[in-house]
Amino acid sequence: MRIDIITVLPELMRSPFEGSIMKRAIEKGLVEVHFHNLRDYAYDKRRSIDDYQFGGGAGMVMMIQPIDECITKLKSERDYDEIIYMTPDGETLNQPMANKMSLYENIIILCGHYKGVDQRVRDLHITKEISIGDYVLSGGEIGAIVFCDALIRLIPGVLSDETSALTDSFQDNLLSPPIYTRPAEYKGMKVPDVLLSGHFANIEKWREEKAYEHTKNRRPDLLEE
């Protein structure tokens, strides 16, 4: 997978990709991540990428010209499965979306700033708009990092145990069941006997029941879906 990230703050973006699972994926050659500084596509001496909005109102707007030139250049070099804009009014990121998009070969992620981008950018280039929740951040970079982590960890070969991601919360619209490790008893609190039994069919049945119970108590909306 190749991920091209268009940002005003490339220095903010690099750190998470230089550690953690995402670094491992890059070192294994499973993922390429490229950062594109939007100011490199600005024409004036100040390298401006924003301006006042037509019609008045508070806040600046990211200009179409630098974004258009950057995306157009990238599209001339390869085909993209999706050109994504991180924005609070986009579709909320969820596990099924991450599962599907982890299979893509090439994506562009545009990180918004200020009041957002000129609408013509969205009309001309954007194929998918994604939000990581119903709140506003100072820029799309943090959302892009969250999105990349959700995708990259699903790519075969990234996790040391490839089956681990298949049992995470939100797979099959269920939250994960309770989990335990050693010691088997701590301050009078014991690990459920079934998990110590070695009977894998019973263990799997217990986990399924607990996952359903946990989801029903905390996120009943997932069961409705």
Side-chain angles (χ1 to χ4, degrees), residues 8 38-39 42 44 47-51 61-63 66 114:
V8 182
L38 200 54
R39 295 192 186 279
D44 66 343
R47 303 175 78 198
S48 302
I49 48 85
D50 63 294
D51 207 338
V61 178
M62 297 178 73
M63 300 159 62
Y114 314 113

Side-chain angles (χ1 to χ4, degrees), residues 28-97:
K28 285 184 174 182
L30 300 172
V31 179
E32 290 182 39
V33 181
H34 300 270
F35 303 103
H36 305 274
N37 190 337
L38 200 54
R39 295 192 186 279
D40 292 340
Y41 295 85
Y43 286 159
D44 66 343
K45 292 182 180 180
R46 295 178 57 248
R47 303 175 78 198
S48 302
I49 48 85
D50 63 294
D51 207 338
Y52 296 102
Q53 56 181 307
F54 283 122
M60 306 294 279
V61 178
M62 297 178 73
M63 300 159 62
I64 184 172
Q65 171 264 317
I67 300 172
D68 175 53
E69 292 198 12
C70 183
I71 293 178
T72 298
K73 179 179 183 296
L74 291 171
K75 288 169 69 175
S76 72
E77 296 170 348
R78 66 192 58 81
D79 294 327
Y80 286 92
D81 298 285
E82 213 80 85
I83 300 176
I84 299 156
Y85 173 45
M86 303 302 300
T87 173
D89 59 347
E91 181 181 357
T92 303
L93 177 64
N94 58 30
Q95 194 61 48
M97 187 191 303

Side-chain angles (χ1 to χ4, degrees), residues 4-188:
D4 287 284
I5 301 176
I6 302 173
T7 171
V8 182
L9 299 169
E11 65 278 5
L12 173 65
M13 298 293 297
R14 287 193 177 93
S15 178
F17 293 93
E18 294 172 351
S20 76
I21 286 173
M22 293 192 285
K23 178 184 179 182
R24 184 192 310 167
I26 293 170
E27 290 177 342
K28 285 184 174 182
L30 300 172
V31 179
E32 290 182 39
V33 181
H34 300 270
F35 303 103
H36 305 274
N37 190 337
L38 200 54
R39 295 192 186 279
D40 292 340
Y41 295 85
Y43 286 159
D44 66 343
K45 292 182 180 180
R46 295 178 57 248
R47 303 175 78 198
S48 302
I49 48 85
D50 63 294
D51 207 338
Y52 296 102
Q53 56 181 307
F54 283 122
M60 306 294 279
V61 178
M62 297 178 73
M63 300 159 62
I64 184 172
Q65 171 264 317
I67 300 172
D68 175 53
E69 292 198 12
C70 183
I71 293 178
T72 298
K73 179 179 183 296
L74 291 171
K75 288 169 69 175
S76 72
E77 296 170 348
R78 66 192 58 81
D79 294 327
Y80 286 92
D81 298 285
E82 213 80 85
I83 300 176
I84 299 156
Y85 173 45
M86 303 302 300
T87 173
D89 59 347
E91 181 181 357
T92 303
L93 177 64
N94 58 30
Q95 194 61 48
M97 187 191 303
N99 291 344
K100 177 182 177 181
M101 299 180 75
S102 69
L103 302 175
Y104 289 169
E105 292 186 9
N106 301 308
I107 61 173
I108 293 174
I109 304 174
L110 171 62
C111 303
H113 262 275
Y114 314 113
K115 293 296 287 185
V117 302
D118 187 305
Q119 179 62 38
R120 290 169 291 185
V121 172
R122 303 168 84 162
D123 296 339
L124 183 62
H125 289 297
I126 302 304
T127 62
K128 193 171 190 66
E129 301 182 348
I130 295 177
S131 166
I132 63 166
D134 294 339
Y135 45 87
V136 178
L137 300 171
S138 57
E141 282 78 11
I142 301 301
I145 293 168
V146 170
F147 174 58
C148 287
D149 186 274
L151 294 190
I152 290 172
R153 66 187 306 278
L154 295 171
I155 297 173
V158 172
L159 298 180
S160 54
D161 181 357
E162 293 185 8
T163 63
S164 177
L166 301 178
T167 58
D168 287 339
S169 290
F170 305 110
Q171 297 288 8
D172 299 323
N173 276 9
L174 291 174
L175 301 179
S176 295
I179 54 176
Y180 300 86
T181 189
R182 292 179 289 183
E185 182 175 350
Y186 183 74
K187 293 185 177 181

Side-chain angles (χ1 to χ4, degrees), residues 176-197 203 206-207 210-211 213-214 218:
S176 295
I179 54 176
Y180 300 86
T181 189
R182 292 179 289 183
E185 182 175 350
Y186 183 74
K187 293 185 177 181
M189 298 180 289
K190 296 182 178 180
V191 173
D193 291 338
V194 65
L195 298 179
L196 307 175
S197 68
I203 291 172
W206 179 88
R207 285 175 172 162
K210 289 298 181 180
E213 180 183 317
H214 191 47
R218 296 199 175 193

Side-chain angles (χ1 to χ4, degrees), residues 208-224:
E208 290 176 359
E209 291 173 349
K210 289 298 181 180
Y212 179 86
E213 180 183 317
H214 191 47
T215 306
K216 184 178 180 181
N217 290 336
R218 296 199 175 193
R219 290 291 304 277
D221 57 298
L222 293 174
L223 299 177
E224 295 172 3

